[in-house]
Amino acid sequence: MSSRATAAQEAVHSDSYFCEAPADPCAIVMFGASGDLAKRKLLPALYDLAVHSCLAPRFRLLGFARTEMSDDEFGRQAAEFLPGKTPSGGADSAHRDFLQQLHYFHGEYNDPGTYQRLAKRLDELDREAELGGNRLFYLATPPSVYPRIVEQLGRAGLAKPKNERSWVRIVVEKPFGHDRASAQALNEQLLSVFDESQIFRIDHYLGKETVQNLLVFRFGNGIFEPLWSRNYVDSVQITAAESLGVERRAAFYESAGALRDMVQSHVLQLTALIAMESPANFDATAVRNEKIKVLQSIRPLDGDSVRRDVVRGQYGPGCVNDEPVPGYRQEPGVNPNSATETFAALKLFIDNWRWSGVPFYLRTGKRLARPSAEIAVMFKRAPHLVFRGEAVEPNSLVLNIQPQEGISLSFGAKAPGSKLHIAPVTMDFRYRRAFGAGSREAYATLINDCIRGDATLFDRADSVEAAWALVDPIIDAWKNGPAPAFPNYPAGSEGPEAAFDLAESDGRQWRPLP
Ligand code: BG6
């Protein structure tokens, strides 16, 4: 393993995130520029792209929000969130260069006059910096504002490219709708103003390095794919566990919950990637065509099957990393009788030839013992064991998405000694060890793709709607059933008892959170 790692390290540039060619010059209009997402994720991601020569030297960022603020003030606020300050806390030259490209624009989201002014401001920036008319609109506001922005962009003529060489794109943050009907309505509205090829529905999990590697791992290597089916796979476990609580997002989370927030998007996207057939090629249409087939083949849950195969939970007070933490109902902004789930576990079946009969166990939750996102493919036991009295753990292949990114394969090995004893061991690949580089922030990867017009890692209208079609009946069944007995797991645990039963009643077990 170590000699391979050295070869891999040699094969990559010391910092492999430098782009071979900068993207087209463009103006990025960030709606919701004073919000948390913009400050904590989007600005640092753009900065990362700028210092790695991925953005055109002539790009411009126009932060859009309702508060009045000068360009300088916006720059000062943005600087607080950029990585790598000088020891004195001041800006170094990379910061200064980046901050010079930032501008600010204030206005009301539903005021036509605002968008006339915006059009003028964009024309000015276009002329000053020779941006070629290229524009990226990024919706990072609360989702309730999206329809107003989209409508006004359309009315102001801002959705159409200025000439045949320029482009206009729009990035739509999750949550994409609140249920299938609202997602459909948003898709219809977007498509009445933009063409599908202009719309980039973002799911930041798809920008994570291991998630992208999943396709390379499956379809770039000949040895795994023959095993990747009901013939050899016993079950699949997908975990997205967080040790953080609801943080400052109570207002949003109270009306969302784990199922809408995580399962509808990230967890079902992972399911689609792990279960899909090989695409004809690695382009947006081919990859997304295969993913949608998986979502459409998942056996719908409702009524009895929700009661049997879906578990919801909410954390009570507990201890995380040896620190006492409040329960969900005690978090600021949360209803003291809240019935919102902070944990969900489900058993799904994919009714197709490859996966028929193989259970997919999915779980996600906040305030769990440790953060961990992984996909574990659990293989069937060897058909016949010749080592009398020696139990051998079945093989598993674990794709670690975070915090440590890598892949491990477990198998049984003879422990040294005169007695024949078989112990489970693992063969590990770690990104950092193999390639030396840490992984790039998912947002940087995705914004880079979007500026270059590559939609492979973005959601398509049909897949967002198909995911809602799976989640809606669960939410309906919960609404129509008895009130949940919350809280049902202490913060810092591995989730509610009922989630363990979900796997144990099938004679299986969840992998412990690492
Ligand atoms: C977001 C959810 O989409 O993903 C959050 O809204 C969640 O509730 C977050 O915390 C998890 O993302 P990551 O990259 O921190 O694992």
Side-chain angles (χ1 to χ4, degrees), residues 41 173-175 203-205 208 240-242 244-247 249 252-253 261-262 265-266 366 373 402 441-443:
K41 297 287 185 188
E173 260 298 333
K174 76 172 266 288
D203 179 323
H204 79 277
Y205 255 58
K208 292 184 191 269
E242 296 180 85
L244 292 175
V246 69
E247 307 227 274
R249 296 166 72 226
F252 155 73
Y253 201 81
D261 184 37
M262 294 291 289
S265 48
H266 309 323
K366 291 202 182 282
Q402 59 192 32
E441 247 293 320
Y443 273 104

Side-chain angles (χ1 to χ4, degrees), residues 155-385:
R155 282 198 183 176
L158 285 166
K160 300 270 168 288
K162 296 213 88 161
N163 55 54
E164 69 280 4
R165 285 186 314 279
S166 62
W167 51 259
V168 175
R169 299 186 186 125
I170 183 162
V171 181
V172 188
E173 260 298 333
K174 76 172 266 288
F176 195 95
H178 192 69
D179 53 16
R180 189 180 187 192
S182 55
Q184 251 167 354
L186 181 56
N187 274 328
E188 274 165 26
Q189 198 213 2
L190 278 162
L191 288 165
S192 69
V193 174
F194 293 92
D195 183 74
E196 176 65 35
S197 62
Q198 295 177 283
I199 306 169
F200 288 68
R201 298 171 193 81
I202 203 163
D203 179 323
H204 79 277
Y205 255 58
L206 298 180
K208 292 184 191 269
E209 207 74 54
T210 322
V211 174
Q212 293 172 66
N213 189 39
L214 220 158
L215 294 180
V216 175
F217 179 81
R218 286 194 56 198
F219 304 121
N221 296 292
I223 61 172
F224 303 108
E225 210 43 32
L227 305 177
W228 219 257
S229 74
R230 62 192 300 273
N231 296 328
Y232 295 96
V233 175
D234 168 74
S235 59
V236 176
Q237 295 187 7
I238 301 182
T239 298
E242 296 180 85
S243 58
L244 292 175
V246 69
E247 307 227 274
R248 287 176 299 170
R249 296 166 72 226
F252 155 73
Y253 201 81
E254 272 286 86
S255 62
L259 202 64
R260 285 192 173 97
D261 184 37
M262 294 291 289
V263 175
Q264 186 274 340
S265 48
H266 309 323
V267 178
L268 284 175
Q269 285 295 322
L270 296 180
T271 311
L273 288 171
I274 199 79
M276 68 189 253
E277 298 300 316
S278 168
N281 51 51
F282 195 52
D283 75 17
T285 308
V287 170
R288 299 192 298 182
N289 280 349
E290 294 308 328
K291 278 169 52 189
I292 181 73
K293 287 185 204 159
V294 175
L295 296 176
Q296 288 168 340
S297 308
I298 294 177
R299 192 183 304 162
L301 292 164
D302 54 19
D304 286 346
S305 55
V306 171
R307 272 188 293 282
R308 194 183 55 232
D309 294 337
V310 186
V311 171
R312 58 181 154 161
Q314 187 192 75
Y315 62 86
C319 242
V320 175
N321 293 330
D322 298 329
E323 293 286 331
V325 294
Y328 178 69
R329 288 176 175 178
Q330 288 79 51
E331 301 270 17
V334 171
N335 174 351
N337 299 313
S338 174
T340 300
E341 82 286 357
T342 59
F343 176 100
L346 310 73
K347 179 167 72 169
L348 296 178
F349 286 96
I350 301 174
D351 288 334
N352 63 17
W353 277 48
R354 186 188 280 266
W355 295 114
S356 178
V358 177
F360 281 66
Y361 299 96
L362 278 38
R363 67 177 162 170
T364 181
K366 291 202 182 282
R367 280 284 189 235
L368 295 175
R370 286 165 295 281
S372 165
E374 63 168 42
I375 304 176
V377 180
M378 317 296 281
F379 289 94
K380 292 186 173 171
R381 290 183 180 279
H384 171 65
L385 277 185

